[in-house]
Amino acid sequence: MIEVISQLGALRAHINGWKQEGLRVGFVPTMGNLHAGHFSLVELARRHADKVVASVFVNPTQFGPNEDFGRYPRTPDADTNGLQAAGCDALWLPSVDAMYPFGADHAVRMHVPGITDTLDGASRPGHFDGVATVVARLFNQVQADVAVFGRKDYQQLAVIRYLVRDLAYSIEILAADTLRDADGLAMSSRNQYLSEQERAIAPSIHRVLQVMRDACEAGVPRSAIEASAGRTLRTAGLVPDYTVLRRPDFTEPVDGETGALVALIAARLGTTRLIDNLEFDTGI
Ligand code: PAF
């Protein structure tokens, strides 16, 4: 049976017990409302650890004032059952008080510089500070040997890697591939906000990413690719926030550049903001 733990003392006792047995602990941080994409993160953690802890915490500090914190879906029973079926050993389910003992507004804050100035960092001011703030706490609480994050949140993954390296956390970070529905839409808890009509439009994001990659490999200039991607999304009924090609460090590639690149899109569909990306290598 999965252990559901809400007190930090109980979590520490549990994890210390495993560590004393010489077991390697894997960690999957989530905000809950889990789907197959999250369970694939648990499976990857299982392959790299003896015991797996998942956390479910809808983190108030990473939502802007006009974002969906209040309506973010909270499904603890389904999450617990799903995690158990996925082979997770413990669920860390802290309250806001357990996570932020002085209150979220009086919390010590993290800020990762540079890579958070652009894309989602620019569109969602403070978002990555909130992510780094809670992940730093989660790492302190869980004391895992390895943690798994999804590649769908490409910039978040870069922020976590920076945090771990800069603060010398003794934890290995693994990146899990994005799971997609059959029509290409990246799995996300926010997909359930989509109406039937919006759900039919949403896979165009993945198709446009593929077109961006193909055009880049064919040598089309970057500015033309990015502009055309934006137009295609707008024609499909989305409101793009960004449609860009970047190097893995988020700097802008020159036209015809070879090497690792990533196409990234954020777009709104009705009231729902979706993000996705496609990594590729023009040198191969
Ligand atoms: O990716 C998420 O679900 C969240 O941003 C995370 C990493 C669990 C921090 O709240």
Side-chain angles (χ1 to χ4, degrees):
M1 278 297 274
I2 187 168
E3 287 281 340
V4 181
I5 305 172
S6 296
Q7 299 300 326
L8 185 55
L11 178 73
R12 291 218 159 117
H14 225 81
I15 288 167
N16 285 343
W18 288 337
K19 294 251 165 127
Q20 276 160 17
E21 287 177 58
L23 300 177
R24 190 171 152 82
V25 177
F27 178 42
V28 179
T30 81
M31 295 207 300
N33 194 244
L34 306 179
H35 49 69
H38 294 107
F39 300 133
S40 76
L41 307 187
V42 173
E43 276 150 34
L44 183 59
R46 285 209 68 79
R47 293 206 292 276
H48 292 264
D50 304 302
K51 296 286 181 186
V52 176
V53 181
S55 62
V56 169
F57 181 68
V58 184
N59 173 35
T61 66
Q62 71 187 76
F63 288 81
N66 301 317
E67 293 186 350
D68 56 349
F69 175 67
R71 72 163 177 153
Y72 199 85
R74 287 147 172 97
T75 51
D77 293 341
D79 292 347
T80 308
N81 294 336
L83 286 168
Q84 169 146 323
C88 192
D89 299 285
L91 167 57
W92 171 224
L93 200 61
S95 62
V96 174
D97 288 349
M99 186 60 71
Y100 297 111
F102 295 110
D105 291 341
H106 300 278
V108 174
R109 293 270 182 158
M110 293 285 171
H111 174 68
V112 170
I115 55 171
T116 60
D117 293 344
T118 181
L119 305 179
D120 280 349
S123 304
R124 303 181 66 190
H127 167 66
F128 287 122
D129 289 359
V131 170
T133 295
V134 80
V135 169
R137 281 155 197 261
L138 287 164
F139 284 174
N140 285 337
Q141 293 160 353
V142 178
Q143 298 285 320
D145 299 289
V146 54
V148 182
F149 291 83
R151 287 186 192 278
K152 186 175 93 67
D153 296 306
Y154 187 87
Q155 199 174 4
Q156 170 172 282
L157 182 60
V159 166
I160 305 300
R161 288 194 193 284
Y162 192 113
L163 179 84
V164 165
R165 186 152 175 223
D166 199 41
L167 297 185
Y169 275 100
S170 174
I171 190 167
E172 182 187 353
I173 302 299
L174 293 178
D177 288 341
T178 303
L179 243 62
R180 299 181 181 283
D181 288 341
D183 57 11
L185 178 64
M187 289 189 187
S188 164
S189 300
R190 291 191 165 102
N191 291 352
Q192 67 187 270
Y193 298 153
L194 301 172
S195 68
E196 205 177 315
Q197 195 193 357
E198 289 166 346
R199 176 63 190 78
I201 294 170
S204 54
I205 293 177
H206 182 54
R207 286 196 296 272
V208 169
L209 285 167
Q210 291 172 313
V211 170
M212 290 173 80
R213 174 201 57 201
D214 294 348
C216 190
E217 286 174 350
V220 179
R222 181 172 59 85
S223 56
I225 295 171
E226 293 178 347
S228 159
R231 275 195 304 275
T232 309
L233 289 178
R234 272 188 287 277
T235 304
L238 291 117
V239 180
D241 195 350
Y242 54 78
T243 52
V244 295
L245 288 162
R246 290 288 182 269
R247 299 190 185 111
D249 64 1
F250 301 102
T251 54
E252 296 180 358
V254 295
D255 291 342
E257 178 169 320
T258 54
L261 294 176
V262 56
L264 300 122
I265 289 178
R268 281 180 202 284
L269 198 41
T271 56
T272 307
R273 186 174 186 274
L274 299 173
I275 60 169
D276 199 358
N277 67 81
L278 191 61
E279 294 170 70
F280 57 99
D281 195 324
T282 51
I284 292 173

